């Protein structure tokens, strides 16, 4: 009986390899025209696949095109070349079922935190009353309990960013695109948020595309870490991180964790950046 | 402590304003007493006060009462303002949303903008007669432009990151307008409305000068024709106070609608 189960397990595990990626970009190129008439080559032939339920982090020097890549994945910035595939079909615009957390929090100053967080519900015309309860729970999870009726102008930068994270999660999107969501947080809060994010991810198994400047954060959270080169951004590294989950803070002091972060820092150094 | 400073500032503010007003009245009275300026050029503060009291204490049904005329002027100002503001915001929204509308409207906007708009008052009287219609129309026309121009600028200046946020949610054009563009443009719209309310009253008075049966402009023309300068002064005081009340109401509305804006907060603090 137990041997039968064991025999079945490898086949189940092998399945994701065969599956069509949820989101993939093929040979994406992006050039910006600046106001002065120059051309900026931001992304150079980038190809990435995001498998269903995979947590992928991206590291890279400032200005290398990480945000641009995220916006292309979200369908809000058109690429100059290449194709964007959603579950195997070419698409050219935003898809329902994606949640985006932008690098700046982009909260609307005329709404309370609660109303801001419920924006996706309003736009998607879902039932407001039932999601209000969920919004309160998520706000509590990120430590914003008691600030539901505050206005964004009354919050600190880090609190605003946490509210923006809740807004990205509220409609339960299958794909979550996050652009340095913890950038404005202190080290303690950041660690707590990392643990929370992992917990949410473990219970929902969303596909996550996560931009960060912290090598250890990337390794701690991810199934896979990508490294981009300085502009024009291209992929220079793609490593699988297979530490068992749930991971906790002790992992960070292990030798394997150290080896991996050292390797990534080395790659980043070679790509023209100085990192933590 | 900040509160104490603010309130002491407020107290000295009131004192300075009152002293300044008193000094002005005193100089006025002295000028009338010690020079020989005839009273049909510069009436004394006392005679203006008397004319004011007389005009305000009469029954509103009498033609010599200020109330009889003020009610009409006020009604035309408010209706004209509401119509002009609504149209201004509506046109601005259409022009900001649809390129075709903007380009098609451009020659008219530019043409009308360079025209001194009160100059069309005689035309409006020909078209709409001596009743309230021409007054309301004049007030509406004068309100329309500052509101239109400011609202356009407001709709246009929507930050790109807010548009990207909505785009990521696949929001419809109407949703973007309702949740993002319109509220974001409110500070600019109110800047236009604050100018608009002053212009609305201006338009009403000018229209009454041109030809009307009732209104502060009408009673002022009548007083002018019999050289009742004190009466004209009194009417100006009434208009000034009315304007002040209208502007204050606008400020209150602004404070209520755009409480979240930095510029509103700064304006209210001072
Ligand atoms: N709308 C735009 N117009 C012109 N140039 C742009 C635009 N958006 C981005 N760029 C350019 O593209 C390059 C990549 O920008 P991007 O924001 O993707 O960098 P990033 O990797 O996210 O940087 P950071 O880590 O500092 O956030 C930059 O050189 C930037 O100047
Ligand atoms: Mg960025």
């Amino acid at each position: 009986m137990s041997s039968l189960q064991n025999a079945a397990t490898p086949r189940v595990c092998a399945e994701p390899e065969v599956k069509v990626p949820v989101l993939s970009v093929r040979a994406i190129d992006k050039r910006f025209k600046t106001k002065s008439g120059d051309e900026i080559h931001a992304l150079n032939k980038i190809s990435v696949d995001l498998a269903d339920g995979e947590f992928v982090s991206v590291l890279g020097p400032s200005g290398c095109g990480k945000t641009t890549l995220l916006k292309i994945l979200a369908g809000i910035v058109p690429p100059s070349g290449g194709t964007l595939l959603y579950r195997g079909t070419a698409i050219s615009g935003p898809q329902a079922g994606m949640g985006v957390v932008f690098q700046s929090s982009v909260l609307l100053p005329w709404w309370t935190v609660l109303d801001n967080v419920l924006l996706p519900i309003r736009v998607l015309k879902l039932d407001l009353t039932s999601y209000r309860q969920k919004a309160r729970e998520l706000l509590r999870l990120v430590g914003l309990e008691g600030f539901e009726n505050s206005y964004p102008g009354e919050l600190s930068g880090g609190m605003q960013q946490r509210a923006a994270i809740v807004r990205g999660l509220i409609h339960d999107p299958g794909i979550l695109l996050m652009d340095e969501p913890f950038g404005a947080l202190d080290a303690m809060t950041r660690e707590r948020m990392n643990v929370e994010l992992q917990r949410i991810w473990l219970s929902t198994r969303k596909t996550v595309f996560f931009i960060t400047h912290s090598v250890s954060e990337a390794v701690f959270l991810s199934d896979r870490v990508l490294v981009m080169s300085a502009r024009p951004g291209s992929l220079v590294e793609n490593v699988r991180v297979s530490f068992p989950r749930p991971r906790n803070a002790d992992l960070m002091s292990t030798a394997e964790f150290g080896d991996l972060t050292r390797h990534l820092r080395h790659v980043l150094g070679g790509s023209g950046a100085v990192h933590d | 402590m900040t509160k104490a400073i603010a309130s002491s500032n407020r107290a000295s503010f009131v004192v300075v304003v009152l002293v300044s007003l008193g000094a002005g009245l005193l100089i006025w009275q002295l000028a009338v007493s010690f020079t020989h300026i005839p009273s049909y050029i510069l009436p004394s503060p006392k005679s203006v006060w008397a004319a004011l009291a007389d005009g305000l204490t009469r029954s509103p049904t009498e033609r010599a009462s200020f109330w009889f005329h003020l009610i009409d002027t006020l009604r035309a100002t408010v209706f004209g303002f509401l119509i002009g503001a609504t149209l201004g915001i509506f046109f601005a929204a259409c022009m900001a949303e649809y390129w075709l509308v903007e380009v098609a409207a451009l020659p008219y906007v530019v043409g009308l903008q360079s025209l001194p708009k009160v100059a069309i008052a005689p035309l409006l009287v020909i078209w709409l007669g001596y009743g309230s219609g021409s007054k309301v129309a004049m007030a509406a026309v004068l309100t329309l432009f500052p509101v239109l121009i400011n609202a356009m600028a407001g709709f246009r200046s929507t930050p790109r990151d807010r548009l990207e946020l909505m785009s990521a949610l696949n929001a419809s054009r109407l949703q973007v307008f309702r949740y993002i563009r319109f509220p974001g443009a409110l500070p600019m719209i109110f800047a236009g409305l604050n100018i608009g309310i002053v212009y609305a009253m201006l338009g009403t008075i000018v229209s009454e000068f041109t030809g009307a049966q009732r209104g502060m402009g009408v009673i002022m023309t009548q007083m002018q024709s019999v050289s009742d300068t004190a009466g004209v002064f009194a009417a100006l005081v009434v208009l000034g106070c009315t304007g002040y009340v209208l502007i204050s109401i606008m400020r209150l509305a602004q404070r209520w609608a755009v409480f979240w804006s930095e510029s509103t907060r700064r304006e209210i603090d001072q």
Side-chain angles (χ1 to χ4, degrees):
Chain A
M1 187 63 181
S2 71
S3 67
L4 243 175
Q5 266 179 349
N6 282 342
T9 321
R11 239 180 291 154
V12 175
C13 280
E15 218 176 54
E17 309 294 323
V18 195
K19 264 192 186 164
V20 194
V22 192
L23 202 56
S24 57
V25 290
R26 295 281 150 76
I28 285 284
D29 228 68
K30 182 66 189 177
R31 291 165 198 273
F32 286 109
K33 273 267 183 310
T34 62
K35 292 212 173 72
S36 54
D38 302 331
E39 204 183 56
I40 291 181
H41 194 184
L43 296 177
N44 185 23
K45 299 255 179 311
I46 295 216
S47 299
V48 188
D49 285 346
L50 301 184
D52 207 356
E54 192 182 25
F55 197 120
V56 178
S57 287
V58 182
L59 294 165
S62 178
C64 74
K66 302 182 294 295
T67 298
T68 307
L69 179 59
L70 177 134
K71 286 180 181 174
I72 289 174
L73 287 171
I76 55 186
V77 163
S80 316
T83 44
L84 174 60
L85 302 170
Y86 180 72
R87 298 196 186 280
T89 340
I91 54 162
S92 59
Q95 299 300 303
M98 279 199 209
V100 184
V101 179
F102 291 91
Q103 191 163 2
S104 57
S105 53
V106 204
L107 297 172
L108 307 175
W110 48 85
W111 273 346
T112 60
V113 168
L114 189 63
D115 280 329
N116 262 289
V117 159
L118 289 168
L119 175 75
I121 307 306
R122 285 214 163 83
V123 171
L124 301 173
K125 300 203 173 85
L126 302 174
D127 178 38
L128 268 177
T129 33
S130 61
Y131 277 95
R132 213 166 263 137
Q133 192 50 41
K134 186 176 175 198
R136 285 179 201 285
E137 274 162 32
L138 283 171
L139 283 170
R140 189 171 44 75
L141 208 67
V142 299
L144 284 178
E145 196 172 18
F147 290 95
E148 293 89 348
N149 296 320
S150 302
Y151 286 89
E154 299 161 351
L155 304 186
S156 74
M159 291 160 86
Q160 293 180 13
Q161 220 170 5
R162 281 180 274 159
I165 292 167
V166 174
R167 183 183 58 197
L169 286 168
I170 186 77
H171 53 301
D172 204 19
I175 304 174
L176 194 55
L177 308 172
M178 305 175 96
D179 196 348
E180 297 184 40
F182 306 140
L185 302 183
D186 61 283
M188 285 292 289
T189 318
R190 191 169 185 152
E191 247 167 59
R192 200 164 58 76
M193 297 301 293
N194 281 343
V195 172
E196 280 305 336
L197 181 60
Q198 181 186 226
R199 213 178 49 71
I200 292 171
W201 181 79
L202 281 174
S203 64
T204 57
R205 292 287 172 172
K206 294 176 193 309
T207 307
V208 183
F209 184 80
F210 186 89
I211 297 174
T212 176
H213 275 288
S214 161
V215 175
S216 52
E217 182 174 85
V219 174
F220 179 78
L221 287 169
S222 311
D223 295 323
R224 200 146 57 92
V225 179
L226 310 174
V227 180
M228 280 171 72
S229 69
R231 217 181 56 224
S234 56
L235 287 185
V236 290
E237 180 60 295
N238 180 353
V239 282
R240 200 155 274 288
V241 184
S242 41
F243 299 118
R245 299 191 188 257
R247 301 169 184 170
N248 59 37
D250 296 338
L251 173 70
M252 298 200 200
S253 44
T254 63
E256 292 93 328
F257 192 90
D259 288 344
L260 197 47
T261 53
R262 204 170 308 114
H263 168 68
L264 286 168
R265 283 204 182 93
H266 178 77
V267 176
L268 270 169
S271 74
V274 187
H275 269 256
D276 53 304
Chain B
M1 205 180 86
T2 353
K3 232 193 192 133
I5 292 171
S7 71
S8 83
N9 270 348
R10 173 140 296 197
S12 48
F13 178 85
V14 171
V15 169
V16 171
V17 166
L18 288 179
V19 168
S20 164
L21 271 178
L25 278 173
L26 189 67
I27 292 168
W28 180 6
Q29 182 64 55
L30 290 177
V32 172
S33 312
F34 291 100
T35 63
H36 296 284
I37 303 172
S39 67
Y40 63 84
I41 301 285
L42 185 66
S44 70
K46 250 188 277 175
S47 61
V48 171
W49 176 255
L52 191 62
D54 178 61
L56 290 177
T57 49
R58 283 170 187 274
S59 150
T61 52
E62 279 179 66
R63 282 203 76 88
S65 161
F66 279 145
W67 298 115
F68 180 83
H69 297 282
L70 184 60
I71 289 167
D72 226 53
T73 300
L74 205 53
R75 195 193 305 130
T77 301
V78 170
F79 278 128
F81 171 76
L82 291 177
I83 294 170
T86 311
L87 289 178
I89 294 169
F90 177 74
F91 288 148
C94 294
M95 287 168 73
E97 286 291 321
Y98 301 102
W99 175 87
L100 189 67
V101 177
E102 189 196 351
V103 176
L106 207 63
Y108 299 99
V109 173
V110 172
L112 283 171
Q113 231 192 332
S114 26
L115 186 79
K117 281 168 285 296
V118 288
I120 67 168
L123 191 62
L124 291 176
V125 172
I126 294 174
W127 285 345
L128 299 167
Y130 289 92
S132 303
S134 57
K135 292 202 266 182
V136 173
M138 190 73 253
V141 168
L142 286 197
T143 306
L144 182 93
F145 284 88
V147 174
L148 178 88
I149 303 297
N150 278 282
M152 270 275 275
F155 293 140
R156 280 283 159 70
S157 58
T158 310
R160 195 180 52 200
D161 51 5
R162 288 183 193 164
L163 296 177
E164 286 180 343
L165 168 71
M166 292 303 272
S167 165
L169 290 165
N170 223 343
S172 71
R173 193 171 204 153
L174 190 67
Q175 286 175 326
V176 174
F177 185 81
R178 182 172 159 205
Y179 297 134
I180 304 288
R181 278 195 201 275
F182 184 73
L186 275 178
M188 288 295 286
I189 290 176
F190 268 96
L193 292 177
N194 285 333
I195 305 171
I197 191 72
V198 176
Y199 277 25
M201 194 149 105
L202 177 76
T204 307
I205 300 289
V206 168
S207 185
E208 287 166 354
F209 284 164
T210 319
Q213 284 150 355
R214 278 173 75 164
M216 292 305 284
V218 173
I219 196 176
M220 286 174 78
T221 336
Q222 284 165 2
M223 287 164 160
Q224 176 211 355
S225 66
V226 296
S227 294
D228 179 6
T229 317
V232 173
F233 267 69
L236 287 176
V237 171
V238 170
L239 284 179
C241 293
T242 311
Y244 182 77
V245 169
L246 290 177
I247 291 170
S248 303
I249 293 173
M250 281 308 302
R251 282 273 158 85
L252 276 179
Q254 180 174 14
R255 200 187 293 200
W256 171 79
V258 210
F259 62 93
W260 45 268
S261 155
E262 277 304 318
S263 60
T264 316
R265 224 169 285 154
R266 236 175 291 130
E267 231 168 74
I268 289 163
D269 279 348
Q270 48 160 278

